[in-house]
Amino acid sequence: MTNLNMPEMLKTQLTDFFYELHRTPELSNQEFHTTQKIKDVLTQYDIRILDLPIKTGLVAEIGHGEPTIVLRSDIDALPITEQADVAYVSEHQGVMHACGHDFHATAVLGTAILLKQQESTLQGKVRILFQAAEEVGTGAAELVQAGVLEQAQAVFGIHNDPTLEVGVVGCKAGALTAGVDRFAIHIQAKGTHAARPQDGNDPLLILANIINIFQTIVSRRLSSDENAVLSITQVHSGSTWNIIPDTAFLEGTVRSFDAETRQRIEQQIRQILEGLATTFNAKIDLDWQPGPPSVMNDEKWAQFALDTAQKSGFEPRVVKASPIGEDFSYYQEQVNGAFMMIGSGGPFPLHHPKFKVDERILIPTSLYLATLVQDALIEIQDS
Ligand code: NI
């Protein structure tokens, strides 16, 4: 069942397709041409496309009957001006595939074609997602809403990881990525002449207290076996040297790895701000924007993904959780599955203007994922 190989012509087609996507990146929710290009190839191979109420992205299906397995890729790019040393550099000014979603989409497209060529032997069906808007954290929820998890018994997805060497597949049971929350805080106090602070209420002093006390949340209020990151990333206030301003603003993010810690940090932030508002007699508004929760891999499927990686010629590696965010977690809230990190060989990190994926991993990843879903269908039927 797993003796897959790929004709040279298809390898060339996929490699060219990867270059094409990389040259023509599109931002979240604007992936119209990307969607059309994927659709064209799927149609060329007579792969059925589901009719869903979505503007960008698409979902294909291969095989028949049950069980159903879902395999997800993402397709959107980032507002970054590319500086990567590649021949197929972005032709869209200020937009770049700096997270490798062009690689994910192409690898999974390759898997779809491989599965189509073996459709008669497939022990169920595979639903293949080309998901829009991962970078803004809304695409997965939209597809869940559209019903793509109906009947699904397992869900798999990949992300490339430049911190892992080419040839490595990383995975782990439990939390693999962070829950990502964003907060913005508006302080309304009272401006005055810098020489007469007693006539006003200084928002900068309040801001300084918020920064200090927030940094006690992780260091003093979580236990040593709890894991989280809190970063304040921008502050704005004031206009000149001799006026105390009326207002101040700060913004930041919290990364956590389990639902309980996540909820507790939010509660503490609210409590600290209420206390400071009372202490300083000021108005402090919190805009709390929850992002996707942690990718939470099922124990059995994480091991299955690692075992299949080994069978497929990759080096399987149990990795540590990473503080990045990933909206694949919304699928896993409904259906068990695993998310795998495919080593893409650095040296530049994700979202860096010089980021690139080592293209040698493209075809092996298509083959790996085809083996994985074929074997997972059999595994479900046997269990
Ligand atoms: Ni990404």
Side-chain angles (χ1 to χ4, degrees):
M1 194 69 209
T2 56
N3 288 331
L4 285 169
N5 52 46
M6 191 186 280
E8 289 304 317
M9 238 174 66
L10 179 53
K11 287 184 189 172
T12 306
Q13 182 184 12
L14 288 172
T15 306
D16 288 345
F17 191 81
F18 168 64
Y19 297 159
E20 166 73 13
L21 285 192
H22 193 87
R23 273 197 302 267
T24 55
E26 293 173 299
L27 293 174
S28 306
N29 290 315
Q30 296 170 35
E31 311 93 333
F32 294 102
H33 293 106
T34 306
T35 300
Q36 187 59 48
K37 284 168 192 166
I38 295 167
K39 201 175 204 171
D40 289 346
V41 178
L42 291 170
T43 305
Q44 180 199 336
Y45 285 92
D46 205 20
I47 295 171
R48 68 179 179 274
I49 296 166
L50 301 190
D51 187 18
L52 296 174
I54 49 175
K55 259 182 13 191
T56 54
L58 72 164
V59 178
E61 236 177 40
I62 297 146
H64 298 278
E66 298 305 326
T68 300
I69 281 183
V70 170
L71 176 63
R72 175 269 207 169
S73 65
D74 44 13
I75 64 172
D76 53 332
L78 286 157
I80 294 173
T81 299
E82 178 155 17
Q83 296 172 25
D85 178 25
V86 293
Y88 45 94
V89 72
S90 170
E91 291 165 4
H92 292 176
Q93 185 58 37
V95 185
M96 175 191 177
H97 269 298
C99 202
H101 297 186
D102 49 350
F103 155 64
H104 308 158
T106 309
V108 166
L109 180 64
T111 301
I113 296 166
L114 287 167
L115 292 174
K116 180 68 186 177
Q117 291 170 346
Q118 319 236 342
E119 191 167 28
S120 59
T121 63
L122 214 55
Q123 306 289 306
K125 75 177 165 290
V126 183
R127 199 171 289 146
I128 308 226
L129 315 186
F130 297 91
Q131 181 207 307
E134 193 286 322
E135 296 292 356
V136 294
T138 58
E142 195 188 4
L143 283 185
V144 170
Q145 187 78 35
V148 301
L149 294 180
E150 261 167 44
Q151 311 284 330
Q153 296 200 32
V155 57
F156 295 98
I158 54 163
H159 206 290
N160 78 92
D161 185 343
T163 71
L164 298 176
E165 310 91 275
V166 164
V168 172
V169 168
C171 196
K172 77 181 276 287
L176 181 68
T177 67
V180 177
D181 294 315
R182 176 175 172 175
F183 57 84
I185 296 166
H186 297 268
I187 304 164
Q188 176 69 52
K190 186 167 179 253
T192 180
H193 195 295
R196 299 188 58 81
Q198 73 277 17
D199 294 342
N201 186 11
D202 185 354
L204 292 171
L205 185 62
I206 303 171
L207 184 142
N209 273 280
I210 291 174
I211 294 174
N212 265 322
I213 299 175
F214 272 19
Q215 291 310 339
T216 67
I217 294 175
V218 174
S219 68
R220 304 287 87 178
R221 297 166 192 236
L222 297 188
S223 74
S224 58
D225 56 4
E226 283 176 303
N227 206 351
V229 178
L230 187 156
S231 289
I232 290 164
T233 52
Q234 59 171 333
V235 299
H236 295 285
S237 184
S239 56
T240 187
W241 69 284
N242 58 356
I243 300 172
I244 291 173
D246 278 318
T247 61
F249 169 80
L250 68 154
E251 190 173 43
T253 179
V254 177
R255 309 287 163 118
S256 55
F257 296 91
D258 67 86
E260 200 189 315
T261 307
R262 187 181 194 193
Q263 198 186 11
R264 213 139 54 79
I265 293 174
E266 182 191 345
Q267 277 167 359
Q268 293 188 347
I269 283 179
R270 290 187 187 280
Q271 190 191 352
I272 289 165
L273 294 178
E274 273 171 36
L276 287 172
T278 306
T279 303
F280 287 97
N281 192 28
K283 192 164 175 288
I284 305 178
D285 288 323
L286 171 68
D287 179 13
W288 183 262
Q289 299 168 33
S294 289
V295 163
M296 210 45 93
N297 282 337
D298 176 73
E299 204 175 319
K300 174 186 132 179
W301 287 125
Q303 191 55 51
F304 193 85
L306 288 168
D307 292 345
T308 309
Q310 178 141 42
K311 246 172 53 179
S312 306
F314 282 92
E315 179 197 329
R317 191 178 296 170
V318 177
V319 290
K320 289 187 176 158
S322 154
I324 63 163
E326 169 55 70
D327 74 0
F328 184 77
S329 51
Y330 290 122
Y331 303 111
Q332 286 176 314
E333 285 185 330
Q334 318 273 335
V335 179
N336 281 339
F339 192 71
M340 295 81 71
M341 310 304 277
I342 311 288
S344 55
F348 299 104
L350 298 172
H351 296 203
H352 190 283
K354 291 187 176 174
F355 168 81
K356 65 176 173 183
V357 169
D358 190 317
E359 64 186 81
R360 287 175 299 169
I361 65 176
L362 180 62
I363 307 303
T365 301
S366 293
L367 290 162
Y368 164 53
L369 294 175
T371 305
L372 180 77
V373 293
Q374 283 179 335
D375 288 1
L377 285 172
I378 295 168
E379 173 70 21
I380 292 169
Q381 290 215 328
D382 287 353
S383 64

